[in-house]
Amino acid sequence: MVFGYYASAIGRAFFPTGSAFLSLMLSLMTFGAGFLMRPLGAIVLGAYADRHGRRAGLLLTLTLMSIGIVSIACTPGYASIGLIAPLLVLCGRLLQGFSAGMELGGVSVYLSEIATAGHKGFYVSWQSGSQQVAVMFAALVGVLLGRALQPEQMTAWGWRVPLLIGCAIIPFLFRLRRSLQETQEFKARASRPSTSQIFRSLRVNWRIVLIGTMMVTMTTVSFYMITAYTPTFGGELHLSSMDGLLVTLCVGASNLFWLPIMGALSDRVGRRPLLFGCTTLMLVSAYPAMLWLVHDASFSRLLAVELWLSFIYGSYNGAMVVFLTEIMPIEVRTAGFALAYSLATAIFGGFTPAISTYLIHATQNPAVPGLWLSAAALFGFIGAYFAKPQGAVS
């Protein structure tokens, strides 16, 4: 989240080119490059978790993620060490992406397997809900820093502060994860497949992974659009950076509100009604909402549009994540979930800030990100239509 919020400052620190647009694009492409590692991490680390346990997998991903965030937070700028600086930042992002490839799947599967009967949607929704705490906290820190520091100070070192705070909570996270118990469902399995068997099962079930990828596309594009890209998008609309961060803070709170509510609702009414309803809403409303926003851009309009998109995202994702755990065969539940999620993020979601920036630059139409959202919604609708509950697949 921090990297996305401060993409402009990070671009100036590590990718000085003389062109603000080019520096921003290089920064956003580095942000997106981390997502290219997610499918590899999903396969390798997901297989590890399916073989050795959910708890062991979560500890391993946290270790790798910690190394990545520390390297980005502590690397000197281009002015100090030259080309080594952007290379180290890129390596840090790649390591973050590799570990995150299994992180989402590992947490979601863990929650689904410890959930009480009839409340699986509510339990699993807190995986996405926890991300909103990060969205809100990073945005709040950005607001406070923006008021306390001058723009030159933010560019020089202020953007590092949220990353260093992230480094400071790592020991607490390790203590928390070490206290977790392995899930009873995993312990009860009569046999655990070998790594080669997991890879072979992934190949056999490639259709399920593809369907899952299409479903996740809606989630990951909308999430990065309304969170990581919002401060940059606010700049495209000639709003202040403070406006963008305040809107992002409100979006995080809105997401956190809707996700558990809609996860619980999916336990009562089923997953599919929410999946079809939300993809249809996004498909027909995203671009008109963006047109309304850019016609007379203001803080209040940006907030209204982002909160509407947040409602759709939270409602869809509250049902989608748990549904994805339910359509995956148990022997590759973590690896299959993580691979589907990572492919969607790597191909579409992670590059949403860069794609949106480029589309606006190429078309001179600030509303064009709405079309990108509609395209993602179409993928989600198709994926939900072809998805089958677990038991219909092997």
Side-chain angles (χ1 to χ4, degrees), residues 353-370:
I355 290 171
S356 298
T357 299
Y358 172 77
L359 289 175
I360 292 173
H361 182 77
T363 65
Q364 297 300 304
N365 177 10
V368 74

Side-chain angles (χ1 to χ4, degrees), residues 191-226:
S191 62
R192 300 176 186 178
S194 65
T195 301
S196 61
Q197 288 174 323
I198 292 172
F199 290 166
R200 185 162 55 250
S201 183
L202 283 175
R203 288 195 301 269
V204 170
N205 291 284
W206 66 268
R207 290 181 180 84
I208 305 173
V209 173
L210 178 60
I211 288 170
T213 300
M214 297 182 73
M215 293 170 55
V216 176
T217 297
M218 161 77 169
T219 278
T220 188
V221 169
S222 57
F223 175 73
Y224 286 104
M225 180 74 75
I226 64 177

Side-chain angles (χ1 to χ4, degrees), residues 24-82:
L24 175 61
M25 284 301 297
L26 288 172
S27 179
L28 292 175
M29 291 299 288
T30 301
F31 176 74
F35 296 96
L36 295 177
M37 291 294 290
R38 288 198 178 196
L40 179 61
I43 294 173
V44 175
L45 300 177
Y48 179 88
D50 282 325
R51 173 70 175 166
H52 298 283
R54 317 310 188 198
R55 176 182 178 276
L58 292 175
L59 284 169
L60 178 58
T61 60
L62 180 58
T63 300
L64 297 174
M65 181 67 74
S66 300
I67 297 172
I69 190 173
V70 169
S71 66
I72 296 174
C74 299
T75 296
Y78 186 92
S80 299
I81 59 176

Side-chain angles (χ1 to χ4, degrees), residues 32-39 220 340-351:
F35 296 96
L36 295 177
M37 291 294 290
R38 288 198 178 196
T220 188
Y341 215 110
S342 298
L343 285 172
T345 306
I347 299 171
F348 302 108
F351 286 99

